[in-house]
């Protein structure tokens, strides 16, 4: 403990004695160090046993890192410590308390895809067309209501249109379907403990007495249910330490409420507030630029980051022609930095606002053989072959899980088509039984062919036999037995080349299950297989990656939260993309987008590049782009402006102005300033696109309707807004056209 270097503010947070503590920890201010040191301090200096401490993180990776660091500080494993994500800790609690809520400890955790499948079926049963009532949108409405702790009846009463009324109806049926299947979705994992505490005060008192100290990481990203959960647990001892940064609250779209930080001070009026403002990551130039962006937000608790790393390279902004040009410029610049400044590929990250942006980057990186990895791509546990085998495990553990039954009974195919499954489902509904129970007596279903009846019953017999091995059998052993029993490898081999990769994933699943281990507590009623399934269900895409682990990292800004690299490229910094168009509809939405930009910039230690494209293919169309309004507030002395070779001659042509073109108001900056010298034009560069808005000094504004030629011979057909001018064919080299960003 004594060997950890701490500044004065960090030490005050670590050694805070009694009462609630709110730590406002700026980006790169040593938040993890403070949390880890405080946890170790509680055990070593305050003599609080690890089993009486609960520490909540937002990712499994953060939980693993923190446990490891605490063990190093203490010189021993913190046995009994409850540390993990909200969902994993809630699931752990609910395994012990499930019977109080009408579930068994073997309940299944449905991920978003599982829940979506149920919602689709419920919409179909209700006669609602999916085109009119998109299942994903219905799911989003339901999840939002759950995060706000709004029950179906309240959602229905507050509905303002037919979509919300249908969502409320499906929400009610969804709850019943989950209960019938002995299943919970991710949102339920947070709501059910609150229901338990409300209905069984003795269980609330039990956990309040058990946990003497409560620590919460990333507090600004808690939703209402999460905040109420930790507040309830801390009410008895009032030893709660919440660490967060309101400037990094970026999950409002999934229910996070930055106002929880304000409520904390209301609910705990005697709370001590400590600000961590010294940044140990970035250069002062990067911090000054990020501070300038976030200072535009009105609703802040307030802090200004500073660092001892004076100076540094300016933030580099890069104008590119389109997303392909942008990706190629990024790839070239990364190769240049690796070659000349000796950065490793894995010391560089490219961040973007939406997942769709990764496509152009991946293609460009492949063309130049630049190694990369994508974090937060399709989770390993979302792959078809992995979900197939886990469905078997889930059904063995929980026979009431109809979703797992539907998946497992068709992997591999057993001669059971849609007609057979429909007949089974109809019988199950008539008899009020699970699909598994109904399949066991399939011989009583009149509508089934004899072969289908025997297939269903053979499937049930197979699983009944495997269930006898459950007990203390390891997950790997049971998975191996399943693969062998259903001849799953041969089933995948029949798929040809694609099946080879699936077999590799299957073997990786077996290997991972063999390596998996978890410390079981004496009062844990679950088997190793059940704990393994819970771990698999709660592993998010953030914990997975695809590609070369030594390559450049590609990920969304949301996924990058909490990480850092020497070099960060922020791609696609255009209005409508970053910030997103829909975020501009509300002040809160724009403020969250600004916080997201702040998070992106403060991931960098040494260098920040920000790229934007003057046209980008979105929804199948090429849409003109303007630089993000967030760039306009960065002081000009902190910025170096560059252009790709695809834009007006690239870096060979530098603007001779002290302030970037996007630095003023957009009304004052309709074009790109001085005309481009003909000799600087790139002969192959895409300069204009059909449908683009342009301005002519004499004819006014208009729309490009066609293009012909290239380089100095490039001509454009422009339909001008002034009817008297009409449509004119202009030679670009001499027309003096400017982009009309006001109308774009």
């Amino acid at each position: 403990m004594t060997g950890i270097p701490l500044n004065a503010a960090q030490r005050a947070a670590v050694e805070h004695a009694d009462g609630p503590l709110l730590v406002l920890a700026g980006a790169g201010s040593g938040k993890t160090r403070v949390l880890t040191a405080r946890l170790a301090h509680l055990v070593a200096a305050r003599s609080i046993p690890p089993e009486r401490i609960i520490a909540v993180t937002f990712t499994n990776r953060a939980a693993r890192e923190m446990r490891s660091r605490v063990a190093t500080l203490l010189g021993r494993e913190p046995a009994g410590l409850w540390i993990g994500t909200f969902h994993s800790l809630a699931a752990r609690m609910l395994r012990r308390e499930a019977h109080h809520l009408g579930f068994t400890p073997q309940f299944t955790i449905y991920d978003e895809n599982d829940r979506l499948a149920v919602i689709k079926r419920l919409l179909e049963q209700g006669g609602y067309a999916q085109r009119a009532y998109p299942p994903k949108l219905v799911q989003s409405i339901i999840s939002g209501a759950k995060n706000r702790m709004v029950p179906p009846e309240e959602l229905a009463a507050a509905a303002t249109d037919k979509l919300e009324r249908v969502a409320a109806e499906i929400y009610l049926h969804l709850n019943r379907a989950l209960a019938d299947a002995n299943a919970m979705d991710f949102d339920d994992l947070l709501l059910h403990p609150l229901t338990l505490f409300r209905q069984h005060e003795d269980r609330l008192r039990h956990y309040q007495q058990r946990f003497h100290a409560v620590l919460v990481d990333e507090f600004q990203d808690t939703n209402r249910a999460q905040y109420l959960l930790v507040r309830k647990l801390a009410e008895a001892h009032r030893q709660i330490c919440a660490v967060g940064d309101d400037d990094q609250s970026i999950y409002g779209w999934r229910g996070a409420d930055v106002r929880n930080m304000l409520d904390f001070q209301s609910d705990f009026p005697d709370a001590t507030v400590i600000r961590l403002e010294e940044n140990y990551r970035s250069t002062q130039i990067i911090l000054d630029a990020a501070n300038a962006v976030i200072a535009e937000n009105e609703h802040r608790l307030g802090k200004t980051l500073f660092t001892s790393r004076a100076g540094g390279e300016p933030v580099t902004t890069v104008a590119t022609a389109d997303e392909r040009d942008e990706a190629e410029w990024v790839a070239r610049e990364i190769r240049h930095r690796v070659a000349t400044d000796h950065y490793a590929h894995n010391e560089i990250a490219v961040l973007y606002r939406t997942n769709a942006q990764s496509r152009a980057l991946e293609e460009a990186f492949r063309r130049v053989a630049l190694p990369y990895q994508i974090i937060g791509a399709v989770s390993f546990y979302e792959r078809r072959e992995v979900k197939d085998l886990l469905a078997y495990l889930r059904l063995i553990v929980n026979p009431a899980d109809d979703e797992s039954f539907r998946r497992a009974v068709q992997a591999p195919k057993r001669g059971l088509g849609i007609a057979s499954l429909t007949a089974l489902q109809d019988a199950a509904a008539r008899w009020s039984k699970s699909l598994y129970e109904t399949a066991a007596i399939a011989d009583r279903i009149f509508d089934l062919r004899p072969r289908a009846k025997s297939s269903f019953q053979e499937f049930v017999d197979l699983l009944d036999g495997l269930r006898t091995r459950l007990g203390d059998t390891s997950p790997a052993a049971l998975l191996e037995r399943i693969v062998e029993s259903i001849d799953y490898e041969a089933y995948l081999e029949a798929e040809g080349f694609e099946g080879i990769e699936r077999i590799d994933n299957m073997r990786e699943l077996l290997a991972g299950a063999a390596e998996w281990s978890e410390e079981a507590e004496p009062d844990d009623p679950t088997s190793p297989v059940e704990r393994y399934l819970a771990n698999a269900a709660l592993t998010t895409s953030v914990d997975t990656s695809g590609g070369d682990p030594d390559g450049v990292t590609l990920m969304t800004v949301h996924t990058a939260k909490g990480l850092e690299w020497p070099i960060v490229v922020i791609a696609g910094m255009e209005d409508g993309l970053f910030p997103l168009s829909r975020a501009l509809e509300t002040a809160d939405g724009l403020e969250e987008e600004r916080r997201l930009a702040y998070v992106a910039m403060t991931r960098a230690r040494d260098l920040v590049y920000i790229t934007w494209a003057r046209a980008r293919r979105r929804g199948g169309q090429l849409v003109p782009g303007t630089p993000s309004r967030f760039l306009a507030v960065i002081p000009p002395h902190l910025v170096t402006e560059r252009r790709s070779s695809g834009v007006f001659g690239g870096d060979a042509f530098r603007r001779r102005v002290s302030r970037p073109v996007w630095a003023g108001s957009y009304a004052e900056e309709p074009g790109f300033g001085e005309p481009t010298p003909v000799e600087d034009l790139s002969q192959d560069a895409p300069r204009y696109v059909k449908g683009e808005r342009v301005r002519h000094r004499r004819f006014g504004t208009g729309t490009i309707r066609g293009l012909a030629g290239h380089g100095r011979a490039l001509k454009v057909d422009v339909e001008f807004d002034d009817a008297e001018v009409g449509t004119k064919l202009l030679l670009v080299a001499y027309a003096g056209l400017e982009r009309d960003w006001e109308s774009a």
Side-chain angles (χ1 to χ4, degrees):
M1 272 296 299
T2 56
I4 301 182
L6 299 169
N7 63 33
Q10 290 173 334
R11 185 166 298 281
V14 168
E15 297 178 355
H16 173 74
D18 293 308
L21 173 64
L22 178 62
V23 180
L24 300 180
S29 63
K31 168 179 67 71
T32 303
R33 172 182 295 184
V34 167
L35 265 173
T36 305
R38 177 159 180 81
L39 213 164
H41 175 79
L42 292 174
V43 176
R46 301 285 299 281
S47 301
I48 300 176
E51 63 270 19
R52 299 201 64 193
I53 300 173
I54 183 168
V56 189
T57 64
F58 261 78
T59 66
N60 296 305
R61 180 180 58 230
R64 288 191 297 268
E65 287 181 7
M66 195 176 298
R67 178 183 283 275
S68 175
R69 292 190 190 187
V70 170
T72 299
L73 291 175
L74 294 175
R76 67 180 190 279
E77 277 295 319
L81 171 68
W82 278 43
I83 184 168
T85 65
F86 273 101
H87 291 94
S88 65
L89 294 175
R92 189 171 176 181
M93 183 185 296
L94 289 169
R95 294 289 179 197
R96 294 158 172 75
E97 310 294 342
H99 61 284
H100 289 298
L101 298 168
F103 295 86
T104 75
Q106 291 74 36
F107 65 82
T108 299
I109 300 173
Y110 277 11
D111 63 20
E112 288 204 0
N113 288 334
D114 297 323
R115 180 171 65 179
L116 188 62
V118 178
I119 289 172
K120 287 179 179 177
R121 193 164 52 257
L122 292 173
L123 285 167
E124 184 180 337
Q125 291 171 0
Y128 297 116
Q130 293 189 15
R131 178 170 293 184
Y133 305 99
K136 286 190 176 181
L137 185 53
V138 171
Q139 176 171 250
S140 178
I141 293 171
I142 293 172
S143 183
K146 286 190 174 187
N147 284 331
R148 299 191 310 274
M149 303 180 66
V150 175
E153 300 77 15
E154 266 186 51
L155 183 62
T160 57
D161 56 31
K162 184 68 180 295
L163 175 62
E164 288 187 351
R165 286 193 291 274
V166 170
E169 178 186 332
I170 299 301
Y171 181 6
L172 183 64
H173 294 316
L174 174 66
N175 284 350
R176 292 171 183 163
L178 289 169
D180 290 343
N182 190 34
M184 302 180 190
D185 63 25
F186 278 10
D187 297 323
D188 291 334
L189 291 178
L190 303 176
L191 292 177
H192 285 325
L194 292 170
T195 302
L196 173 74
F197 293 161
R198 186 173 63 252
Q199 295 178 352
H200 302 275
E201 290 188 11
D202 61 315
R203 304 317 299 155
L204 171 60
R205 288 193 296 272
H206 167 78
Y207 286 103
Q208 285 178 336
Q209 291 304 315
R210 167 160 188 165
F211 297 122
H212 181 90
V214 179
L215 293 89
V216 188
D217 192 10
E218 304 289 5
F219 186 60
Q220 76 282 347
D221 290 326
T222 53
N223 62 32
R224 195 62 189 166
Q226 290 167 332
Y227 174 57
L228 290 178
L229 187 56
V230 294
R231 193 188 76 183
K232 286 281 186 186
L233 291 175
E235 280 177 352
H237 296 287
R238 297 175 59 77
Q239 296 302 318
I240 180 171
C241 171
V243 181
D245 181 4
D246 56 317
D247 288 337
Q248 296 187 71
S249 179
I250 59 174
Y251 293 108
W253 50 276
R254 70 181 189 194
D257 192 346
V258 69
R259 287 173 297 187
N260 288 339
M261 298 192 79
L262 300 175
D263 289 345
F264 184 92
Q265 296 179 74
S266 300
D267 293 335
F268 299 101
D270 57 333
T272 298
V273 178
I274 295 175
R275 286 174 167 79
L276 304 183
E277 296 177 299
E278 184 171 0
N279 177 284
Y280 292 93
R281 176 188 301 154
S282 308
T283 65
Q284 189 63 55
I285 282 182
I286 292 173
L287 293 185
D288 288 346
N291 285 335
V293 171
I294 199 62
E296 296 289 300
N297 275 3
E298 294 182 7
H299 301 102
R300 301 177 63 212
L301 294 174
K303 82 184 87 57
T304 301
L305 298 184
F306 65 92
T307 180
S308 59
R309 294 189 64 194
E313 287 195 33
V315 172
T316 301
T317 63
V318 187
T320 64
D322 56 21
E323 73 273 14
R324 177 167 179 164
D325 183 40
E326 175 186 55
E328 290 174 346
W329 187 92
V330 169
R332 287 194 302 271
E333 184 69 12
I334 288 175
R335 293 184 71 184
H336 169 72
R337 284 292 184 178
V338 169
T340 59
D341 297 333
H342 308 296
Y343 283 102
H345 289 110
N346 61 10
E347 292 183 304
I348 304 170
V350 182
L351 310 181
Y352 34 80
R353 181 62 183 84
T354 65
N355 277 304
Q357 291 170 254
S358 71
R359 180 192 58 79
L361 290 161
E362 287 188 76
E363 289 175 358
F365 283 22
R366 286 183 185 132
R367 279 194 292 272
V368 297
L370 191 64
Y372 69 91
Q373 64 168 336
I374 293 186
I375 306 294
V378 176
S379 166
F380 176 78
Y381 291 100
E382 290 299 314
R383 294 184 170 103
R384 191 195 82 199
E385 56 279 12
V386 174
K387 287 183 75 75
D388 284 350
L389 294 176
L390 292 182
Y392 275 88
L393 279 189
R394 286 165 55 164
L395 198 52
I396 290 169
V397 166
N398 177 19
D401 184 353
D402 285 353
E403 285 309 304
S404 292
F405 181 96
R406 289 185 179 89
R407 185 172 200 106
V409 78
Q410 297 183 82
K413 303 293 184 184
R414 295 178 165 81
L416 298 168
I418 294 176
S420 298
L421 285 170
T422 300
L424 183 77
Q425 289 172 179
D426 291 345
R430 286 196 308 272
W431 299 339
S432 298
K433 292 182 180 294
S434 69
L435 294 180
Y436 190 90
E437 292 172 310
T438 307
I441 52 175
D443 56 333
R444 303 182 195 174
I445 303 175
F446 177 76
D447 298 339
L448 282 178
R449 294 177 293 105
R451 179 65 192 129
K453 292 179 180 180
S454 58
S455 291
F456 279 128
Q457 290 179 314
E458 288 167 6
F459 177 65
V460 170
D461 290 342
L462 168 68
L463 289 170
D464 283 344
L466 291 168
R467 189 172 297 107
T468 62
R469 300 169 177 265
L470 189 56
D472 293 328
T473 302
S474 72
L478 191 53
L479 278 170
E480 287 173 358
R481 182 61 179 155
I482 291 168
V483 170
E484 179 184 332
S485 298
I486 64 176
D487 204 8
Y488 193 68
E489 187 163 340
Y491 168 63
L492 294 178
E493 281 178 349
E495 297 184 12
F497 182 77
E498 185 180 339
I500 295 173
E501 183 177 349
R502 296 193 186 280
I503 289 172
D504 287 341
N505 290 333
M506 178 197 76
R507 290 172 177 163
E508 180 62 27
L509 176 67
L510 297 176
E515 294 172 3
W516 175 86
S517 64
E518 183 187 47
E519 178 186 354
E521 295 191 6
D523 61 338
D524 193 332
T526 56
S527 68
V529 171
E530 291 164 56
R531 294 195 295 276
Y532 170 75
L533 281 172
N535 177 77
L538 295 168
T539 298
T540 67
S541 60
V542 177
D543 300 306
T544 64
S545 63
D548 188 340
D550 294 322
V552 177
T553 298
L554 305 181
M555 62 166 60
T556 64
V557 182
H558 279 101
T559 309
K561 177 83 172 297
L563 304 177
E564 62 179 71
W565 298 267
I567 299 177
V568 168
V569 180
I570 308 169
M573 206 59 152
E574 299 129 40
D575 260 11
L577 182 58
F578 199 171
L580 287 176
S581 297
R582 64 174 179 267
L584 303 178
E585 297 172 2
T586 65
D588 287 347
L590 181 57
E591 291 215 347
E592 179 154 322
E593 291 288 304
R594 197 174 279 115
R595 292 194 292 268
L596 196 58
Y598 174 81
V599 166
M601 297 173 73
T602 55
R603 299 309 92 200
R605 294 204 291 265
D606 303 334
L607 300 168
V608 172
Y609 291 95
I610 300 176
T611 65
W612 64 279
R614 303 196 174 191
R616 187 177 297 273
R617 287 162 186 82
R618 298 175 66 184
Q621 295 185 336
L622 198 60
V623 180
T626 58
S628 172
R629 64 193 64 198
F630 299 155
L631 300 181
V633 300
I634 302 176
H637 69 277
L638 301 176
V639 177
T640 292
E641 184 186 7
R642 294 173 65 180
R643 293 188 174 96
S644 71
S645 59
V647 180
F648 288 92
D651 290 336
F653 174 64
R654 303 289 185 134
R655 288 187 56 78
R656 299 176 181 85
V657 294
S658 60
R659 190 163 174 76
V661 287
W662 28 256
S665 69
Y666 294 102
E668 295 170 350
E669 301 286 350
F672 289 100
E674 53 201 74
T676 306
V678 172
E679 61 270 23
D680 282 343
L681 290 175
S682 167
Q683 298 301 303
D684 301 314
R687 296 195 53 232
Y688 290 102
V689 295
K690 190 175 180 180
E692 188 172 9
R693 297 283 294 169
V694 293
R695 180 186 296 273
H696 188 275
R697 60 181 176 272
R698 184 171 148 208
F699 302 134
T701 56
T703 302
I704 294 178
R705 297 304 183 194
L707 301 94
H710 58 83
R712 296 191 60 166
L714 177 65
K715 299 174 184 177
V716 290
D717 216 5
V718 182
E719 180 184 356
F720 287 97
D721 298 340
D722 187 336
E724 292 185 7
V725 175
T727 301
K728 292 190 178 295
L729 184 66
L730 304 173
L731 190 63
V732 170
Y734 300 100
L737 291 175
E738 297 177 344
R739 262 89 173 181
D740 180 34
W741 297 109
E742 286 181 328
S743 304

